[in-house]
Amino acid sequence: MIAYLIRRLLWALPTLLGVNLLVFALFFVVSSPDDMARAQLGAKRVTQEAIERWKADHGYDKPLFYNDNAQGSKQFTDTIFVQKSARMFLLDFGKSDLGRDINHELYARMWPSLALALPVFIVGLFVAIVAAMVLAFFRGTWLDYSGVIACVVLMSISSLFYIIAGQFIVARTWNLVPISGYEGGLDSIRFLALPVLVGVIAGLGSNVRWYRAIFLEEIGKDYVRTARAKGLSEGAVLFRHVLKNAMIPILTGTVVVIPSLFLGSLISESFFGIPGLGSFTIEAILMQDFAIVRAMVFIGALLYILGLILTDLSYTLVDPRVRLQ
Amino acid sequence: MRDFQIVVLWSDVLFAVLLAALAAGVAYAFRHEHLRRAWHTVFANRSAMAALVILLAYLLVTVLDSFHYRPALDQPDGVPQTKVQYSVEVLSLLDVALTTLRDTREKTYSAPFATHFFEKQMLEAPDGKQYRDYPRLKFGGAHLKDPAERAGDIAVRAAGGAALGGMLWLLAMLPIVRGVACSHQWTLTKAAREVLRGGTQIAWDGFAWALLFVLVLAGVLGTLSGHYHVFGTDATGNDVLYQTLKAMRVALMIGTLATLVVLPLGIGLGLAAGYYRGWVDDTIQYIYTVISSIPYVLLIAAASLMMTMLIERNGALFATAASRADAKLVALCAIIGAISWTTLCRLIRAETLKLRELDYVQAARCFGVSSLRIMLRHILPNAFHIVLITVVLDFSGLVLAEAVLSFVGVGVDPTSISFGMMINKARGELARDPLIWWSISAAFVFMVSLVLAANLFADAVREAFDPRALPSRRRLRLGAAK
């Protein structure tokens, strides 16, 4: 088990290296530090000197891979690739283009993100499973049929509309919660209630449909027929037998997003003014602070790969037939 | 007729290629019995037929909006006619059809069907005194002497429009009823009754009622928009109905153009990985693991930020603002395609791994058929349902993604109208008091109807083509009865 874990973690390295190289190619080969300087300095008719100065200030004036002017190992380390890209492997993200300390911001903003994303995840999972069970229990009836239609309609509405409608109805018309903003501690509940509600509803459609499909597949299996043949009631079959087995694909299918919860949600954080990593990323994109965008892409990939490893582990935990080797 | 210069935008060309491919696909499916039967199942689905009508209506808007030209500018008198100057504004056939909507700009906000502005403005009385009041609109309801006649006027015009739509509907349904009557040897009246009641194998009733709805709505909107701003106007006085129709093209382009990148990459690499295995498989798997491990929106954001810079740097290449905006749209679609081929590739790879071991493929190999031929002739046709399902399912997701990307600031060019832009602007409008609700409502209605229709159609396609699809309602019933 430990050996497998270590091997999987080592396998993640080439993938991360690929991510790193891809991002590097996008930011330094497709476009160049000159473009970045021009975007950052704003004006169209910016002088070449100003661009050079900006590049020197931010460490973009080095060669990409090989530094002729340096000595010894510095020939390789004193380059844009190592300083700006490879360094991220040590989780050292350096300073952003606008001079912010990225690592410091990450630690500060991770918690508000998690405070929003974790309740959305847990409540959303619970509500979706309950709703899917109800639909599966009444399968083939008008309730099931209209439930599925409701799911398709819910899926067809952009998440932006949910947020706008939620803010308008709950916060503006009913005045129940503040429209946006955030405070730490217990006060945060006031600010988080609406974003969590909106997040749960926005994710409901596709999840309920997916879980319903899982339940229906499980209900068609032999052991369910056996349970019915023993004379168990439909409710007992559903709760005692089907639920447990259906939880396996549901849980292993959702484990992958758990590490990414730290990243928070891009859209709802900036709509609700929650100072998490999602709004951090949006601000960086709007202000063209590319160092932050690079860092977030790398972290996003890192967390996703962690999620994949967790998924594999969860398979062994719930299903003893799966052996990790 | 004024002189004009035809402008061919990149997205127009690519969209035409896509439509041609679609037509070829339809022709191919028509000639093959098993495909025809699967499509019959799709068309037997009532909601799929209704969704098809909506999608076709939106497709028509997009096609009209994809023929671009630049009108010639009026020559000032007395200047010798040496060279015709063309306007920098690129127009489309849709703009011609909607000339009234485009030319009737008000100054600022006005509510749907309003005859007066939404906010009081400083006016000057004939005697020179200034006072504040709601001024009349330049266009909306300008033909009315007394604004109190408005309700009656709207009702009369709407009835006329509905009658027009109904007539068009009768014209459109006639050939269908004729066809049904011929194939079943029914009389025309019986055929008409069966079509409307859903007694035919193909669910013509869904088609007919949806078409009636669309045509009557189009008739009503068409006649009313000649005299009113049916959906109101936005901050700069532009007609909201015009904007939503223009946004439709962007939405459809985003939803479909990426396919042109996804198909070759996903199918080619998927087949190669599954067929050759070994190091080819390892390499391709590595590439798609890398791409798919980066969060979707972040990667698109990063790539399109860079692409925007590239386009800005080469700004001189584009003659008009429209062609630059179009280049951005095509670049965005290319980026989306270059990122989202991984799903299709993974599915095709898995299917190929399974198919290559089957006897008929082994037999083909024994006969010395080349690898390329085996992949294209023997494996791909049997995996093609995956391609179809993936493409159809992706469409609605991409339309939704456009709104998010525009919000993030990496979507389409700010000068072109898209649903994302409209929603973005609406945020500020909803915070005003009294609130301005029409812009976002229009965007909501059109966007949801597009995505919903796409979802319903995609579900029917999946049910018909995927052997492992969810049981339909009818089959569920039968299962319960057993």
Side-chain angles (χ1 to χ4, degrees):
Chain A
M1 183 75 171
I2 300 289
Y4 172 81
L5 205 61
I6 291 173
R7 205 159 47 233
R8 271 308 302 260
L9 284 173
L10 285 179
W11 262 116
L13 282 180
T15 313
L16 272 178
L17 187 66
V19 171
N20 204 305
L21 282 173
L22 181 72
V23 175
F24 180 77
L26 263 180
F27 280 82
F28 294 105
V29 182
V30 173
S31 89
S32 66
D34 283 36
D35 292 329
M36 264 181 243
R38 220 165 283 140
Q40 200 51 254
L41 296 172
K44 286 236 162 180
R45 273 177 268 292
V46 60
T47 59
Q48 193 59 35
E49 286 145 48
I51 291 178
E52 294 301 332
R53 199 164 52 239
W54 186 88
K55 275 162 61 183
D57 285 350
H58 294 84
Y60 290 115
D61 54 345
K62 299 181 176 111
L64 288 185
F65 286 109
Y66 183 78
N67 195 342
D68 254 344
N69 300 330
Q71 297 296 316
S73 66
K74 280 246 172 180
Q75 285 187 329
F76 294 99
T77 54
D78 201 21
T79 55
I80 290 187
F81 178 67
V82 171
Q83 291 299 324
K84 296 286 173 192
S85 209
R87 193 170 161 176
M88 291 199 274
F89 276 101
L90 305 173
L91 297 184
D92 173 13
F93 300 101
K95 285 244 186 300
S96 87
D97 291 347
L98 294 178
R100 296 205 261 186
D101 182 357
I102 298 182
N103 281 61
H104 177 77
E105 296 269 349
L106 284 180
Y107 292 128
R109 285 170 170 262
M110 201 164 78
W111 304 112
S113 272
L114 199 62
L116 170 58
L118 195 64
V120 170
F121 175 72
I122 293 173
V123 177
L125 191 66
F126 179 75
V127 173
I129 288 176
V130 170
M133 284 251 308
V134 170
L135 293 189
F137 186 80
F138 292 102
R139 62 190 172 279
T141 64
W142 64 268
L143 185 74
D144 179 28
Y145 190 53
S146 42
V148 172
I149 289 184
C151 284
V152 179
V153 173
L154 281 177
M155 277 166 66
S156 305
I157 299 174
S158 167
S159 53
L160 298 176
F161 285 121
Y162 288 112
I163 297 175
I164 292 176
Q167 279 186 329
F168 182 72
I169 297 169
V170 180
R172 214 191 118 170
T173 313
W174 296 347
N175 265 326
L176 290 180
V177 289
I179 289 185
S180 70
Y182 188 75
E183 263 172 48
L186 266 184
D187 248 3
S188 64
I189 295 174
R190 226 157 38 92
F191 291 98
L192 287 176
L194 180 59
V196 169
L197 178 75
V198 167
V200 168
I201 294 176
L204 208 55
S206 55
N207 282 343
V208 170
R209 241 174 78 135
W210 179 26
Y211 299 160
R212 172 182 170 273
I214 291 174
F215 278 121
L216 288 183
E217 199 179 316
E218 208 60 42
I219 284 174
K221 287 192 175 158
D222 284 346
Y223 73 89
V224 177
R225 196 174 43 192
T226 312
R228 285 212 195 97
K230 285 193 300 187
L232 286 185
S233 69
E234 187 65 28
V237 170
L238 210 57
F239 277 97
R240 245 184 276 156
H241 296 264
V242 174
L243 179 61
K244 266 190 217 156
N245 287 300
M247 283 310 279
I248 294 175
I250 291 177
L251 285 184
T252 48
T254 47
V255 160
V256 69
V257 303
I258 291 179
S260 308
L261 293 178
F262 283 102
L263 279 184
S265 142
L266 286 179
I267 305 299
S268 66
E269 277 182 18
S270 42
F271 263 92
F272 289 107
I274 292 165
L277 287 178
S279 50
F280 184 54
T281 314
I282 299 247
E283 279 167 30
I285 292 172
L286 292 180
M287 298 193 319
Q288 308 215 307
D289 193 333
F290 300 116
I292 296 177
V293 178
R294 285 198 301 271
M296 294 310 291
V297 168
F298 186 79
I299 297 170
L302 182 72
L303 293 176
Y304 179 77
I305 292 170
L306 268 182
L308 289 182
I309 297 176
L310 278 184
T311 308
D312 281 357
L313 287 182
S314 69
Y315 274 121
T316 46
L317 291 183
V318 293
D319 190 345
R321 282 172 304 181
V322 180
R323 283 274 162 75
L324 298 180
Q325 281 169 358
Chain B
M1 183 71 203
R2 274 205 297 181
D3 210 2
F4 63 90
Q5 178 190 35
I6 291 178
V7 178
V8 179
L9 297 179
W10 270 107
S11 57
D12 301 342
V13 178
L14 295 175
F15 195 61
V17 170
L18 207 63
L19 285 182
L22 186 70
V26 169
Y28 181 84
F30 198 75
R31 275 186 285 120
H32 290 78
E33 174 61 27
H34 64 287
L35 293 176
R36 211 165 47 209
R37 194 168 296 174
W39 279 109
H40 251 278
T41 345
V42 175
F43 294 135
N45 187 327
R46 199 177 299 140
S47 52
M49 283 298 264
L52 186 67
V53 172
I54 310 250
L55 291 179
L56 285 178
Y58 289 157
L59 186 68
L60 180 71
V61 170
T62 307
V63 170
L64 280 181
D65 206 5
S66 293
F67 292 96
H68 291 97
Y69 74 101
R70 281 163 75 179
L73 289 176
D74 290 327
Q75 294 286 337
D77 293 330
V79 178
Q81 294 263 346
T82 46
K83 201 166 144 246
V84 185
Q85 293 287 322
Y86 294 103
S87 152
V88 290
E89 196 182 15
V90 175
L91 298 177
S92 71
L93 287 188
L94 184 75
D95 292 320
V96 178
L98 302 177
T99 309
T100 32
L101 293 186
R102 205 163 48 81
D103 288 348
T104 51
R105 273 183 66 169
E106 308 290 349
K107 237 184 278 159
T108 178
Y109 290 117
S110 68
F113 294 114
T115 53
H116 291 82
F117 273 104
F118 190 64
E119 282 155 335
K120 282 189 177 166
Q121 286 178 4
M122 205 57 99
L123 293 177
E124 203 167 308
D127 55 4
K129 254 195 197 158
Q130 292 205 327
Y131 63 103
R132 283 176 68 79
D133 197 7
Y134 301 101
R136 278 291 286 265
L137 290 179
K138 221 166 48 190
F139 170 74
H143 62 293
L144 297 174
K145 282 211 184 71
D146 177 12
E149 302 161 2
R150 194 180 60 159
D153 184 60
I154 290 175
V156 171
R157 285 179 194 280
L164 185 72
M167 241 134 61
L168 283 176
W169 180 71
L170 285 179
L171 276 180
M173 287 312 289
L174 200 62
I176 294 173
V177 171
R178 280 279 292 277
V180 169
C182 278
S183 66
H184 289 82
Q185 318 242 306
W186 286 338
T187 60
L188 267 185
T189 27
K190 180 169 167 58
R193 204 166 51 230
E194 291 299 329
V195 161
L196 292 185
R197 273 188 10 202
T200 48
Q201 206 168 29
I202 288 182
W204 284 119
D205 55 334
F207 186 88
W209 295 121
L211 190 67
L212 180 67
F213 176 74
V214 167
L215 284 178
V216 166
L217 198 67
V220 170
L221 287 182
T223 39
L224 285 180
S225 64
H227 300 274
Y228 296 95
H229 294 290
V230 180
F231 291 163
T233 55
D234 74 348
T236 46
N238 292 308
D239 190 275
V240 173
L241 175 63
Y242 174 73
Q243 291 185 326
T244 45
L245 288 177
K246 290 294 270 187
M248 205 48 90
R249 176 171 185 269
V250 174
L252 256 73
M253 291 287 165
I254 296 265
T256 54
L257 283 193
T259 320
L260 286 175
V261 182
V262 168
L263 289 191
L265 279 178
I267 295 176
L269 294 179
L271 282 175
Y275 188 80
Y276 292 117
R277 300 191 294 194
W279 66 268
V280 179
D281 190 18
D282 290 341
T283 318
I284 292 172
Q285 275 200 65
Y286 175 70
I287 294 173
Y288 74 58
T289 319
V290 166
I291 292 179
S292 60
S293 61
I294 304 176
Y296 194 69
V297 177
L298 275 180
L299 187 52
I300 293 180
S304 73
L305 278 177
M306 296 303 115
M307 202 59 87
T308 313
M309 281 209 245
L310 205 66
I311 289 173
E312 302 276 312
R313 193 169 51 189
N314 301 313
L317 287 178
F318 306 104
T320 55
S323 66
R324 197 171 58 232
D326 184 70
K328 267 192 194 173
L329 178 67
V330 172
L332 183 65
C333 292
I335 290 169
I336 292 175
I339 287 169
S340 50
W341 58 272
T342 52
T343 330
L344 180 64
C345 181
R346 200 167 51 223
L347 295 172
I348 293 277
R349 173 183 166 271
E351 193 69 13
T352 311
L353 278 176
K354 234 174 8 190
L355 291 175
R356 80 187 292 278
E357 301 302 333
L358 294 186
D359 290 344
Y360 77 96
V361 177
Q362 302 287 353
R365 208 174 302 152
C366 290
F367 280 126
V369 182
S370 73
S371 301
L372 190 69
R373 212 172 155 73
I374 292 181
M375 280 191 268
L376 293 182
R377 297 255 337 170
H378 298 280
I379 295 180
L380 182 58
N382 286 309
F384 205 78
H385 65 276
I386 296 177
V387 177
L388 186 72
I389 293 167
T390 317
V391 168
V392 179
L393 279 181
D394 277 354
F395 174 83
S396 50
L398 289 177
V399 174
L400 292 179
E402 184 272 323
V404 171
L405 289 176
S406 291
F407 171 75
V408 177
V410 295
V412 294
D413 193 71
T415 56
S416 50
I417 307 158
S418 75
F419 288 127
M421 296 282 162
M422 293 179 73
I423 299 171
N424 241 345
K425 272 196 293 181
R427 283 179 72 193
E429 293 172 359
L430 282 180
R432 292 165 67 113
D433 197 33
L435 96 144
I436 285 152
W437 49 268
W438 46 87
S439 216
I440 185 143
S441 312
F444 176 80
V445 168
F446 276 76
M447 196 170 164
V448 169
S449 60
L450 173 66
V451 178
L452 186 61
N455 273 334
L456 289 174
F457 192 71
D459 279 345
V461 169
R462 185 171 54 175
E463 210 171 89
F465 282 89
D466 188 357
R468 289 187 51 236
L470 266 185
S472 71
R473 185 188 180 207
R474 195 173 307 151
R475 270 191 280 158
L476 257 185
R477 273 250 177 85
L478 291 176
K482 244 189 284 176

mmCIF file of all heavy atoms in Angstrom, chain A residues 90-104:
data_model
loop_
_atom_site.group_PDB
_atom_site.id
_atom_site.type_symbol
_atom_site.label_atom_id
_atom_site.label_comp_id
_atom_site.label_asym_id
_atom_site.label_seq_id
_atom_site.Cartn_x
_atom_site.Cartn_y
_atom_site.Cartn_z
ATOM 1 N N LEU A 90 8.741 23.169 -6.141
ATOM 2 C CA LEU A 90 9.049 23.275 -4.718
ATOM 3 C C LEU A 90 7.939 24.036 -3.987
ATOM 4 O O LEU A 90 8.111 24.411 -2.832
ATOM 5 C CB LEU A 90 10.378 23.999 -4.532
ATOM 6 C CG LEU A 90 11.550 23.375 -5.287
ATOM 7 C CD1 LEU A 90 12.780 24.259 -5.181
ATOM 8 C CD2 LEU A 90 11.847 21.989 -4.726
ATOM 9 N N LEU A 91 6.816 24.267 -4.715
ATOM 10 C CA LEU A 91 5.706 25.044 -4.164
ATOM 11 C C LEU A 91 6.157 26.435 -3.759
ATOM 12 O O LEU A 91 5.651 27.024 -2.815
ATOM 13 C CB LEU A 91 5.064 24.324 -2.970
ATOM 14 C CG LEU A 91 4.434 22.994 -3.308
ATOM 15 C CD1 LEU A 91 3.741 22.423 -2.089
ATOM 16 C CD2 LEU A 91 3.451 23.123 -4.458
ATOM 17 N N ASP A 92 7.140 26.943 -4.491
ATOM 18 C CA ASP A 92 7.610 28.295 -4.244
ATOM 19 C C ASP A 92 7.208 29.111 -5.464
ATOM 20 O O ASP A 92 7.765 28.946 -6.539
ATOM 21 C CB ASP A 92 9.131 28.270 -4.051
ATOM 22 C CG ASP A 92 9.685 29.669 -3.969
ATOM 23 O OD1 ASP A 92 8.885 30.613 -3.813
ATOM 24 O OD2 ASP A 92 10.910 29.827 -4.054
ATOM 25 N N PHE A 93 6.208 29.968 -5.289
ATOM 26 C CA PHE A 93 5.652 30.642 -6.464
ATOM 27 C C PHE A 93 6.175 32.046 -6.658
ATOM 28 O O PHE A 93 5.843 32.718 -7.607
ATOM 29 C CB PHE A 93 4.125 30.652 -6.383
ATOM 30 C CG PHE A 93 3.558 29.272 -6.339
ATOM 31 C CD1 PHE A 93 3.147 28.701 -5.145
ATOM 32 C CD2 PHE A 93 3.488 28.521 -7.494
ATOM 33 C CE1 PHE A 93 2.651 27.419 -5.107
ATOM 34 C CE2 PHE A 93 2.991 27.236 -7.464
ATOM 35 C CZ PHE A 93 2.578 26.684 -6.262
ATOM 36 N N GLY A 94 7.001 32.503 -5.708
ATOM 37 C CA GLY A 94 7.639 33.800 -5.882
ATOM 38 C C GLY A 94 6.673 34.959 -5.841
ATOM 39 O O GLY A 94 5.569 34.873 -5.299
ATOM 40 N N LYS A 95 7.088 36.040 -6.453
ATOM 41 C CA LYS A 95 6.296 37.264 -6.445
ATOM 42 C C LYS A 95 5.461 37.336 -7.720
ATOM 43 O O LYS A 95 5.868 36.877 -8.772
ATOM 44 C CB LYS A 95 7.226 38.476 -6.412
ATOM 45 C CG LYS A 95 7.864 38.748 -5.074
ATOM 46 C CD LYS A 95 7.379 40.092 -4.565
ATOM 47 C CE LYS A 95 8.086 40.516 -3.295
ATOM 48 N NZ LYS A 95 7.894 39.588 -2.188
ATOM 49 N N SER A 96 4.274 37.912 -7.598
ATOM 50 C CA SER A 96 3.461 38.084 -8.798
ATOM 51 C C SER A 96 3.982 39.279 -9.583
ATOM 52 O O SER A 96 4.819 40.036 -9.109
ATOM 53 C CB SER A 96 2.010 38.296 -8.420
ATOM 54 O OG SER A 96 1.773 39.665 -8.194
ATOM 55 N N ASP A 97 3.455 39.428 -10.787
ATOM 56 C CA ASP A 97 3.925 40.521 -11.640
ATOM 57 C C ASP A 97 3.611 41.884 -11.051
ATOM 58 O O ASP A 97 4.236 42.878 -11.374
ATOM 59 C CB ASP A 97 3.297 40.402 -13.033
ATOM 60 C CG ASP A 97 3.841 39.194 -13.768
ATOM 61 O OD1 ASP A 97 4.847 38.634 -13.298
ATOM 62 O OD2 ASP A 97 3.265 38.810 -14.798
ATOM 63 N N LEU A 98 2.584 41.916 -10.202
ATOM 64 C CA LEU A 98 2.254 43.192 -9.584
ATOM 65 C C LEU A 98 2.877 43.298 -8.198
ATOM 66 O O LEU A 98 2.513 44.161 -7.405
ATOM 67 C CB LEU A 98 0.735 43.352 -9.486
ATOM 68 C CG LEU A 98 0.034 43.465 -10.834
ATOM 69 C CD1 LEU A 98 -1.461 43.565 -10.652
ATOM 70 C CD2 LEU A 98 0.548 44.670 -11.594
ATOM 71 N N GLY A 99 3.793 42.384 -7.888
ATOM 72 C CA GLY A 99 4.554 42.497 -6.655
ATOM 73 C C GLY A 99 3.926 41.856 -5.443
ATOM 74 O O GLY A 99 4.354 42.082 -4.320
ATOM 75 N N ARG A 100 2.876 41.041 -5.628
ATOM 76 C CA ARG A 100 2.287 40.378 -4.471
ATOM 77 C C ARG A 100 3.030 39.078 -4.193
ATOM 78 O O ARG A 100 3.514 38.425 -5.118
ATOM 79 C CB ARG A 100 0.820 40.073 -4.721
ATOM 80 C CG ARG A 100 0.006 41.329 -4.902
ATOM 81 C CD ARG A 100 -1.419 41.068 -4.550
ATOM 82 N NE ARG A 100 -2.211 40.832 -5.745
ATOM 83 C CZ ARG A 100 -3.532 40.691 -5.719
ATOM 84 N NH1 ARG A 100 -4.176 40.731 -4.588
ATOM 85 N NH2 ARG A 100 -4.204 40.477 -6.812
ATOM 86 N N ASP A 101 3.079 38.694 -2.927
ATOM 87 C CA ASP A 101 3.717 37.432 -2.564
ATOM 88 C C ASP A 101 2.683 36.323 -2.749
ATOM 89 O O ASP A 101 1.729 36.221 -1.984
ATOM 90 C CB ASP A 101 4.196 37.508 -1.109
ATOM 91 C CG ASP A 101 4.902 36.226 -0.709
ATOM 92 O OD1 ASP A 101 4.950 35.301 -1.547
ATOM 93 O OD2 ASP A 101 5.405 36.159 0.421
ATOM 94 N N ILE A 102 2.858 35.500 -3.786
ATOM 95 C CA ILE A 102 1.814 34.538 -4.141
ATOM 96 C C ILE A 102 1.591 33.511 -3.026
ATOM 97 O O ILE A 102 0.462 33.198 -2.667
ATOM 98 C CB ILE A 102 2.142 33.834 -5.472
ATOM 99 C CG1 ILE A 102 2.208 34.868 -6.591
ATOM 100 C CG2 ILE A 102 1.085 32.796 -5.802
ATOM 101 C CD1 ILE A 102 2.471 34.289 -7.941
ATOM 102 N N ASN A 103 2.701 33.005 -2.452
ATOM 103 C CA ASN A 103 2.546 31.985 -1.417
ATOM 104 C C ASN A 103 1.721 32.497 -0.237
ATOM 105 O O ASN A 103 0.827 31.827 0.263
ATOM 106 C CB ASN A 103 3.910 31.538 -0.901
ATOM 107 C CG ASN A 103 4.551 30.569 -1.850
ATOM 108 O OD1 ASN A 103 4.798 30.930 -2.999
ATOM 109 N ND2 ASN A 103 4.786 29.349 -1.410
ATOM 110 N N HIS A 104 2.038 33.715 0.161
ATOM 111 C CA HIS A 104 1.319 34.305 1.283
ATOM 112 C C HIS A 104 -0.178 34.420 0.966
ATOM 113 O O HIS A 104 -1.036 34.064 1.767
ATOM 114 C CB HIS A 104 1.913 35.678 1.586
ATOM 115 C CG HIS A 104 1.201 36.404 2.661
ATOM 116 N ND1 HIS A 104 1.382 36.097 3.994
ATOM 117 C CD2 HIS A 104 0.272 37.391 2.616
ATOM 118 C CE1 HIS A 104 0.606 36.875 4.718
ATOM 119 N NE2 HIS A 104 -0.077 37.667 3.913
#
